[in-house]
Amino acid sequence: MPLSRPLSQLQASYDVIVVGSGYGGAVMAARLAPGRRLAVLERGREWLPADFPGTLADALGQFRSPLVPFGLFDYRLGGTIDVLAGSGLGGTSLVNANVVVPADRDVFDAWPAAIRQDVASGALDAWE
């Protein structure tokens, strides 16, 4: 079932607009949504399960470029680091098939006290 909406269904105004639907944008939207009119904006398109490339050749044809502006993959070549990101609804979760491994609790040992408290109380467990 598609999550995106056509432009004709957008409201004239919103209380909150989140730009980016990857992990950060999705969490931000989930936390800000209650009691607010919220929109999440994302470049690219929505990729339904049947839309994903099924072969290496198909995948290689899905890199964003001027000829493929709505490609699934966005590859950025840098001087010391390259980045492969998803392009579309879901952000980089499109690249890793939305697979997330919960962090070990000791990862948070050096984080701010409020976050450590949320980890210890289990308040973050709902977001894993």
Side-chain angles (χ1 to χ4, degrees), residues 57-114:
D58 291 342
L60 291 174
Q62 285 301 327
F63 279 84
R64 281 186 80 238
S65 71
L67 297 176
V68 188
F70 295 108
L72 174 60
F73 304 110
D74 186 7
Y75 184 71
R76 303 290 175 110
L77 180 63
T80 58
I81 189 170
D82 295 353
V83 176
L84 175 66
S87 180
L89 184 61
T92 299
S93 66
L94 294 170
V95 173
N96 58 23
N98 205 26
V99 175
V100 177
V101 177
D104 293 333
R105 296 297 184 198
D106 62 345
V107 166
F108 298 100
D109 289 349
W111 285 52

Side-chain angles (χ1 to χ4, degrees), residues 10-20 24-41:
L10 295 179
Q11 298 177 22
S13 67
Y14 291 90
D15 299 319
V16 177
I17 295 175
V18 175
V19 178
V27 170
M28 183 62 65
R31 291 189 176 200
L32 291 173
R36 296 181 179 95
R37 292 175 306 145
L38 179 133
V40 177
L41 301 180

Side-chain angles (χ1 to χ4, degrees), residues 32-57:
L32 291 173
R36 296 181 179 95
R37 292 175 306 145
L38 179 133
V40 177
L41 301 180
E42 181 61 81
R43 70 167 180 186
R45 57 173 274 211
E46 181 171 4
W47 290 84
L48 299 175
D51 297 336
F52 284 90
T55 66
L56 178 58

